[in-house]
């Protein structure tokens, strides 16, 4: 199959994404408007009949002082990763990006290698010899994903420096997902562990109410998010980021981003943002107050978001990143513990891959990033 690659319009790009069952929220054209500090471009792959068969959102970050760029395709490009002629897809992309002044290309193939169901993760947590998710036998392995990795290596792509622990990647390599396809809501609820079911009931009894917010409630979201950032020691994004995200994504599709609040006695005690692209729904950011945790607002909110995702006909509810640590003393352990209670599955992606177009500049960037 002969393929040609060229810049496409946002309209073409969006129409292509809308024709698919789903794609990453970082590969929709509007994501470029969220990431204003990057220059962006939509790329399209065309087959010999002139049909658009793949697309990619490229973000370009300029190096300080020189007109050379890091080209980044977060959780993309969106193409047939299992195509036997993968080289024919990626070579023209590299040539195009080089012409655009890129010295290095980073991409995140949306390809899942392994999945672990909740039972497998639980047994891993209970086993004192197991420290990492990858030490647990996977419930499902995708052999074709290993072939993709081999092809990329043969082409000269390099995998993230950390050897796959998931932290050298900009996007999470390990995520937690609740599959919804061909399941009843009742079976999803039954899949929750006892603690989750108890907490959902507790929230209901306490009178926790989950409501949807809109743009004008982003200030209230920010208040809770900054409380969370202080508690969990991370640097919060500014309110302007979420306002831009809301405006950009919901202008593209009025149902792309949602905001939820868990209310108790008239007060917002937890909040979350949700993103929707086709059949894939993500819980993207979460926040909660330091008080009233005993009324379990976060469980109530997740259950409502899951039900809404189900009502939208979603095939998967994605709780986004987890660390692969199963060590209870690890500060990130609580994250997997909370998410595993939903009875879903952990999934490992292929991770992010780099192609140095200019080895010297690529190495300089690596050193610069490692010092930060």
């Amino acid at each position: 199959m002969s393929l040609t690659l060229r810049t496409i319009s946002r309209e073409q790009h969006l129409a292509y994404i809308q024709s698919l069952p789903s794609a990453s929220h970082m590969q929709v054209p509007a994501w470029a408007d969220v990431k204003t500090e990057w220059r962006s471009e939509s790329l399209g792959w065309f087959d010999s009949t002139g049909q658009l068969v793949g697309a990619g959102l490229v973000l370009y970050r300029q190096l300080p002082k020189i007109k050379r760029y890091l080209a980044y395709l977060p959780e993309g490009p969106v193409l047939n990763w299992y195509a036997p002629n993968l080289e024919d897809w990626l070579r023209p992309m590299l040539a195009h990006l080089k012409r655009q002044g890129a010295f290095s290309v980073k991409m995140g193939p949306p390809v899942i290698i392994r999945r672990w169901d909740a039972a497998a993760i639980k047994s891993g947590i209970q086993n004192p010899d197991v420290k990492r998710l990858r030490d647990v036998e996977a419930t499902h392995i995708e052999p074709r994903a290993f072939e993709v990795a081999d092809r990329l290596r043969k082409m000269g792509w390099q995998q993230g420096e950390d050897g796959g622990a998931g932290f050298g990647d900009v996007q999470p390599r390990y995520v937690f997902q609740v599959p919804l396809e061909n399941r009843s809501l009742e079976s999803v609820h039954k899949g929750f562990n006892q603690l989750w079911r108890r907490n959902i009931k507790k929230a209901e009894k306490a009178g926790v109410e989950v409501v949807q917010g809109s743009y004008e409630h982003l200030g209230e979201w920010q208040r809770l998010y900054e409380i969370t950032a202080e508690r969990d020691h991370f640097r919060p994004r500014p309110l302007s980021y979420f306002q831009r995200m809301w405006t950009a994504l919901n202008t593209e599709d009025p149902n792309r981003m949602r905001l939820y609040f868990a209310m108790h006695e008239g007060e917002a005690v937890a909040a979350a943002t949700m993103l929707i692209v086709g059949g894939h729904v993500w819980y993207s950011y979460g926040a909660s107050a330091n008080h009233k945790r005993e009324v379990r607002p976060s469980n109530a909110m997740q259950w409502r978001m899951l039900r809404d995702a189900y009502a939208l006909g979603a095939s998967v509810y994605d709780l986004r990143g987890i660390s692969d640590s199963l060590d209870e003393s690890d500060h990130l352990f609580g994250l997997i513990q909370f998410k595993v209670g939903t009875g879903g599955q952990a999934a490992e992606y292929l991770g992010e891959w780099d192609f140095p177009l200019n080895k010297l500049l690529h190495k300089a960037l690596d050193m610069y990033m490692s010092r930060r």
Side-chain angles (χ1 to χ4, degrees), residues 87-355:
E87 295 82 353
D88 298 347
W89 290 80
L90 297 179
R91 269 204 204 100
M93 178 180 89
L94 289 173
H96 174 87
L97 297 174
K98 193 172 188 171
R99 285 195 300 274
Q100 294 288 319
F103 67 89
S104 186
V105 181
K106 185 187 268 296
M107 66 175 183
V111 174
I112 288 175
I113 324 184
R114 303 180 185 88
R115 291 184 187 274
W116 295 263
D117 64 22
I121 301 167
K122 269 184 215 140
S123 70
I125 291 170
Q126 281 153 9
N127 182 342
D129 299 331
V130 169
K131 294 289 177 221
R132 302 215 159 267
L133 193 53
R134 75 180 87 156
D135 301 334
V136 178
E137 196 180 333
T139 317
H140 175 79
I141 287 180
E142 177 51 80
R144 293 181 306 169
F146 291 95
E147 289 168 32
V148 174
D150 282 344
R151 285 202 184 116
L152 292 175
R153 267 186 216 105
K154 284 196 182 97
M155 282 180 69
W157 288 86
Q158 301 167 0
Q159 202 160 12
E161 288 297 297
D162 63 356
F167 294 111
D169 295 340
V170 184
Q171 303 309 330
R173 168 181 291 216
Y174 294 93
V175 300
F176 204 87
Q177 302 177 334
V178 181
L180 300 176
E181 215 164 8
N182 306 320
R183 293 178 73 189
S184 68
L185 253 185
E186 193 188 15
S187 90
V188 174
H189 186 261
K190 272 205 182 105
F192 285 167
N193 70 12
Q194 236 176 328
L195 184 66
W196 262 81
R197 289 204 299 269
R198 218 174 29 237
N199 286 344
I200 290 167
K201 223 183 208 119
K202 202 181 253 184
E204 216 173 297
K205 267 208 174 103
V208 172
E209 221 188 322
V210 181
V211 298
Q212 257 183 269
S214 54
Y215 181 87
E216 53 269 22
H217 301 114
L218 285 169
E220 181 59 11
W221 147 264
Q222 190 71 16
R223 184 184 69 80
L224 286 168
Y225 171 64
E226 285 177 12
I227 289 170
T228 308
E230 197 172 325
R231 184 177 65 234
D232 295 347
H233 312 290
F234 65 84
R235 199 165 56 189
R237 291 187 178 276
L239 173 60
S240 58
Y241 180 82
F242 294 103
Q243 289 173 328
R244 193 162 66 236
M245 198 168 160
W246 182 279
T247 306
L249 297 179
N250 288 336
T251 301
E252 178 175 275
D253 179 330
N255 205 18
R256 185 76 85 220
M257 179 176 176
R258 289 185 179 186
L259 178 60
Y260 287 85
F261 290 99
M263 309 292 296
H264 186 253
E265 295 169 341
E267 178 190 8
V269 284
T273 62
M274 182 161 115
L275 300 174
I276 301 150
V277 183
H280 202 130
V281 171
W282 292 265
Y283 153 56
S284 69
Y285 284 90
S288 59
N290 291 331
H291 63 301
K292 293 204 170 176
R293 304 182 80 134
E294 70 286 351
V295 299
R296 303 298 174 198
S298 295
N299 299 87
M301 191 166 58
Q302 289 296 342
W303 176 226
R304 162 74 192 270
M305 287 163 73
L306 235 163
R307 291 199 318 266
D308 284 2
Y310 188 89
L312 286 166
S315 55
V316 60
Y317 179 72
D318 195 322
L319 291 118
R320 284 296 276 174
I322 50 171
S323 127
D324 82 329
S325 173
L326 298 182
D327 181 352
E328 300 196 16
S329 63
D330 190 306
H331 73 290
L332 291 165
F333 175 73
L335 207 55
I336 192 166
Q337 200 177 29
F338 177 74
K339 293 177 182 183
V340 87
T342 61
Q345 333 170 303
E348 179 191 359
Y349 280 91
L350 261 189
E352 296 194 319
W353 294 69
D354 296 310
F355 196 100

